[in-house]
Amino acid sequence: MCGVVAYVGAKKASPILLESLARLEYRGYDSAGIAVISNGDLILRKRRGKLSVLNASLIEKPLSGHCGIGHTRWATHGEPNEKNAHPHTDCTNSFAIAHNGIIENYERLKENLIKKGHKFKSQTDTEVIVHLIEENYKGDLVVAIRKTLRKIKGTYAIAVISDKDPGKVFVSRCGSPLILGVGNGENFVASDVPAVLNKTQRIIYLDDYEIAQISKDSIKIFNLEGKILKKKIEKIKWDVDSVSRCGFAHFMLKEIHEQPRVIANMLKRRVCGTKIEFEELNIKNNYLNKVKKIIITGCGTAWHAGLIGKYLLEKFTRIPVWVDTSSEFRYRDPIIDKNTLVIAVTQSGETADTLASIRLAKQKKAKVLSICNVIGSSITRDSDGIIYTHAGPEIGVASTKAYVSQIVIFFLFALYLGMLRKTLRKNDVEAYLKKLKKVPRFMEKILGNKNTIFRCARKYSYANNFMYLGRNINFPNALEGALKLKEISYVHAEGFGAGEMKHGPIALVDKEFPVVCIAPNCSIYEKMISNIQEIKTRKGVIISIATEGNSQIKKYSHYVIYIPKTDELISNILIALPLQLLAYYIAVERGCDVDKPRNLAKSVTVE
């Protein structure tokens, strides 16, 4: 969940490291630091707080040097302070390390190192790695790192520099992401592609247990046995604008506004006439025809998208579907066999629990299909098949365009599978595709009326508690709407199936309690109205999301947000936008840091 970067080249390292860290600040912002090799010496600078604090320190007292590493921290072991900030150094101040991950056996290793005379300066698990490197160093840093990595258990993405081998950066990974950016006379390292995208679009993805030795003119990659490996250089197609705000106040707002274009491009890529194409699916139709059960796994917003996927897959394919949070799935004994398709949903492709889940599924002989946004990520490399969402980089910590693109992928895959298994007629598929193609235009219409949502947010931003209610395919949206509000505004919010309200949650309702009711025109609309009337009777504040032309709902509601008229199964795609905008504007009104909410990181790469 932390951000690791490195640079080696002819330019000054510290400005490049800071710029790269700024592009990774969504991964961690409890503290930040850099280390550089300057005139043969290792120099360290780190500060508690956001990157701006470190930047101010470097402006006041710049660091020279052309080789360095940097880090933004999301604290796990040890509170956020300067001592616990990365990079960490050994006893001799000859080695420095930046690390993302968790070393599970660090306490035992630390005890042994202390017995040998090592002095520790922090409370972190990371510091044991750099002391082990010091202990194992006998003139060859690659050998020292190889010996060190054999002793540690857990997850890591590390970048190491040393005054004993200046002009080189040494990196390795296991379970945490790390990419190499290939330049001309310079090379880069980062936890994620956006950090280097303005410098190079040529990327090497490291795999687990690989070590890279990087100088300004060369990259050598080894396995733990020391064998030199050949790695493919990938060309990234994202442009620099995709990782900048482009005039929007926040990345989250920009990414909300990108959704019509993302969905239009997806439909253009995936739909040709009545044919749905998944060029990277890589799972044969013969297998898909024999699937007896589907299990969907994901975390947070991805789990909510999976819940919507369940409704769509069961309706269109008649295959039973279970949805599990990855963190729970991996610790029970799921009933899986060769006729089970496991679908992993993830924006980053690096979510630790989801990665562990698919590895468990493969051990049990299931096929794994991943719905993912990031090409070349760990989960995509471990999956049997992939469907990329191609949503572009998502920088805001609270997921928006990734969620909507995952829902649309589920819709297309459910149609594809239904047609393959003959549970859907061709005419039905054509009708749904025709409706889906209207979605980007409908989204633009919602965004064009965002001032209505802004006024609603301003009116109710005082509230410290919210309830979200939905039914059927929009029940997951109630969960997602509540999550968005919690994430970025720190308002306590809960989502419920509206029918469950009477079984406890209605006790919370009073005249100061806003309830967001998702009530589009649908097969269970009358039941939803009954639930709304129950809230009204108890003086609750009702914010309804309804279909255009529905004037009846005004008499039950304090505020109504309208979406264009569409099919019930497609309504959940549109409803996601007002829920996102409502959370965004409430957070802005409350003065919250929308793109970097406290205690959260974009990619949860540790358990």
Side-chain angles (χ1 to χ4, degrees):
M1 293 166 73
C2 304
V4 174
V5 299
Y7 171 79
V8 57
K11 299 169 187 169
K12 283 189 176 180
S14 61
I16 293 171
L17 294 171
L18 279 173
E19 185 180 10
S20 297
L21 288 175
R23 294 174 181 272
L24 286 185
E25 202 171 4
Y26 59 88
R27 296 182 66 91
Y29 30 82
D30 294 335
S31 58
I34 66 172
V36 299
I37 303 295
S38 178
N39 298 318
D41 295 324
L42 193 157
I43 303 174
L44 190 67
R45 186 75 57 78
K46 50 188 185 177
R47 293 290 184 269
R48 179 184 178 180
K50 294 190 177 181
L51 194 59
S52 56
V53 182
L54 176 65
N55 190 31
S57 166
L58 290 165
I59 291 171
E60 182 180 335
K61 192 176 179 182
L63 294 181
S64 59
H66 306 281
C67 175
I69 59 176
H71 189 272
T72 55
R73 183 172 186 242
W74 189 90
T76 53
H77 296 71
E79 65 182 66
N81 59 32
E82 197 166 304
K83 283 186 178 180
N84 290 328
H86 298 217
H88 291 286
T89 55
D90 68 311
C91 297
T92 65
N93 203 49
S94 290
F95 305 95
I97 187 171
H99 166 230
N100 176 29
I102 292 178
I103 306 306
E104 295 170 0
N105 62 335
Y106 86 98
E107 289 181 330
R108 179 176 58 80
L109 294 170
K110 186 174 180 177
E111 287 175 9
N112 291 336
L113 287 163
I114 289 171
K115 288 176 183 176
K116 293 180 179 181
H118 288 264
K119 305 292 184 183
F120 282 77
K121 293 165 276 193
S122 77
Q123 301 166 303
T124 68
D125 56 330
T126 298
E127 198 179 347
V128 300
I129 309 174
V130 74
H131 285 282
L132 283 170
I133 291 171
E134 176 194 4
E135 186 75 17
N136 290 320
Y137 182 74
K138 301 291 185 282
D140 188 325
L141 195 43
V142 171
V143 172
I145 292 171
R146 282 167 46 204
K147 287 182 177 179
T148 296
L149 297 183
R150 288 195 184 100
K151 292 184 178 181
I152 62 177
K153 294 179 181 178
T155 59
Y156 57 82
I158 60 170
V160 179
I161 57 172
S162 174
D163 59 15
K164 296 182 181 298
D165 208 344
K168 292 178 185 173
V169 176
F170 301 83
V171 303
S172 184
R173 63 154 284 176
C174 173
S176 291
L178 207 62
I179 60 101
L180 312 182
V182 183
N184 295 314
E186 58 184 0
N187 289 303
F188 311 84
V189 177
S191 295
D192 206 351
V193 171
V196 302
L197 198 56
N198 65 327
K199 305 296 183 185
T200 182
Q201 291 181 305
R202 295 190 296 157
I203 302 297
I204 296 173
Y205 292 96
L206 277 189
D207 287 312
D208 284 354
Y209 308 113
E210 292 179 346
I211 302 168
Q213 173 185 291
I214 305 159
S215 67
K216 67 184 182 68
D217 296 315
S218 71
I219 295 175
K220 295 178 182 177
I221 300 174
F222 311 86
N223 62 17
L224 281 185
E225 285 68 50
K227 180 182 176 182
I228 294 179
L229 307 173
K230 289 185 178 180
K231 300 285 290 186
K232 182 181 177 183
I233 299 176
E234 306 277 357
K235 181 71 181 293
I236 298 298
K237 295 179 181 178
W238 294 344
D239 58 28
V240 175
D241 281 349
S242 65
V243 292
S244 60
R245 292 203 303 267
C246 297
F248 286 92
H250 299 93
F251 277 109
M252 183 179 178
L253 186 60
K254 176 189 176 229
E255 288 155 7
I256 290 171
H257 277 262
E258 286 176 340
Q259 290 174 120
R261 176 181 56 79
V262 166
I263 302 309
N265 289 343
M266 179 191 295
L267 295 172
K268 188 175 181 181
R269 176 191 287 264
R270 299 292 183 191
V271 179
C272 183
T274 59
K275 187 178 180 184
I276 301 169
E277 298 177 345
F278 298 113
E279 69 273 11
E280 69 277 53
L281 183 60
N282 201 37
I283 297 177
K284 292 181 180 179
N285 286 346
N286 285 343
Y287 174 81
L288 292 175
N289 261 321
K290 295 175 182 176
V291 166
K292 299 286 195 298
K293 176 171 63 176
I294 295 173
I295 297 176
I296 301 171
T297 185
C299 298
T301 289
W303 176 58
H304 298 158
L307 290 171
I308 290 175
K310 170 185 171 70
Y311 284 93
L312 296 167
L313 284 163
E314 288 190 336
K315 181 171 181 64
F316 292 157
T317 71
R318 311 314 298 160
I319 302 170
V321 180
W322 284 261
V323 187
D324 223 340
T325 53
S326 302
S327 54
E328 293 300 321
F329 174 84
R330 62 181 292 201
Y331 287 117
R332 60 184 180 84
D333 188 14
I335 301 170
I336 297 173
D337 59 24
K338 64 181 180 179
N339 293 318
T340 304
L341 176 66
V342 173
I343 302 178
V345 190
T346 168
Q347 188 284 136
S348 68
E350 302 292 349
T351 309
D353 287 314
T354 306
L355 183 58
S357 293
I358 68 169
R359 288 173 176 168
L360 172 63
K362 292 185 76 172
Q363 287 172 13
K364 292 175 174 286
K365 309 302 182 187
K367 291 281 188 188
V368 173
L369 170 64
S370 289
I371 296 174
C372 185
N373 191 37
V374 180
I375 296 170
S377 56
S378 298
I379 286 173
T380 64
R381 296 201 299 275
D382 274 15
S383 300
D384 297 294
I386 313 156
I387 302 177
Y388 286 114
T389 54
H390 294 295
E394 189 176 67
I395 307 299
V397 167
S399 183
T400 53
K401 64 179 180 177
Y403 175 64
V404 168
S405 63
Q406 288 160 358
I407 295 170
V408 176
I409 286 294
F410 268 120
F411 209 116
L412 292 175
F413 183 64
L415 292 175
Y416 174 89
L417 201 54
M419 196 155 45
L420 176 68
R421 294 171 67 103
K422 296 182 170 52
T423 52
L424 275 179
R425 296 173 301 176
K426 185 178 178 181
N427 288 347
D428 295 327
V429 174
E430 287 178 358
Y432 278 118
L433 290 176
K434 188 175 180 180
K435 293 171 184 175
L436 274 175
K437 287 177 181 178
K438 294 179 182 178
V439 164
R441 177 163 51 86
F442 289 159
M443 286 179 158
E444 293 282 10
K445 190 172 183 181
I446 293 168
L447 293 171
N449 292 325
K450 65 184 179 183
N451 284 340
T452 301
I453 303 168
F454 170 70
R455 289 192 293 271
C456 179
R458 173 174 281 181
K459 187 173 183 179
Y460 298 111
S461 61
Y462 69 87
N464 292 317
N465 298 282
F466 271 73
M467 187 187 298
Y468 287 70
L469 299 179
R471 279 183 174 267
N472 203 342
I473 201 166
N474 274 304
F475 162 52
N477 263 332
L479 300 175
E480 176 63 11
L483 177 62
K484 281 292 150 287
L485 191 63
K486 279 185 276 197
E487 284 179 315
I488 62 173
S489 69
Y490 320 139
V491 169
H492 174 250
E494 298 296 336
F496 297 99
E500 288 297 297
M501 180 185 59
K502 294 186 291 292
H503 298 277
I506 199 168
L508 297 170
V509 174
D510 62 24
K511 63 181 180 180
E512 298 296 321
F513 193 87
V515 183
V516 179
C517 300
I518 302 170
N521 294 354
C522 60
S523 58
I524 44 81
Y525 171 74
E526 286 77 14
K527 292 186 181 297
M528 192 70 206
I529 289 297
S530 294
N531 297 136
I532 290 172
Q533 287 175 320
E534 289 164 350
I535 300 164
K536 186 176 177 65
T537 300
R538 288 155 181 84
K539 310 299 183 185
V541 177
I542 298 164
I543 302 169
S544 294
I545 300 178
T547 303
E548 282 179 346
N550 181 352
S551 57
Q552 176 204 26
I553 202 166
K554 288 182 179 180
K555 65 184 178 182
Y556 307 122
S557 309
H558 294 79
Y559 210 97
V560 182
I561 300 168
Y562 286 108
I563 64 164
K565 186 176 182 179
T566 189
D567 185 275
E568 179 177 357
L569 293 180
I570 293 173
S571 67
N572 66 91
I573 304 170
L574 301 181
I575 282 166
L577 273 71
L579 293 173
Q580 293 165 358
L581 286 167
L582 185 63
Y584 171 80
Y585 285 124
I586 288 174
V588 170
E589 284 294 300
R590 292 171 72 96
C592 300
D593 191 340
V594 172
D595 285 336
K596 298 186 284 291
R598 69 188 183 203
N599 302 333
L600 298 180
K602 182 67 179 172
S603 301
V604 183
T605 57
V606 296
E607 184 181 351

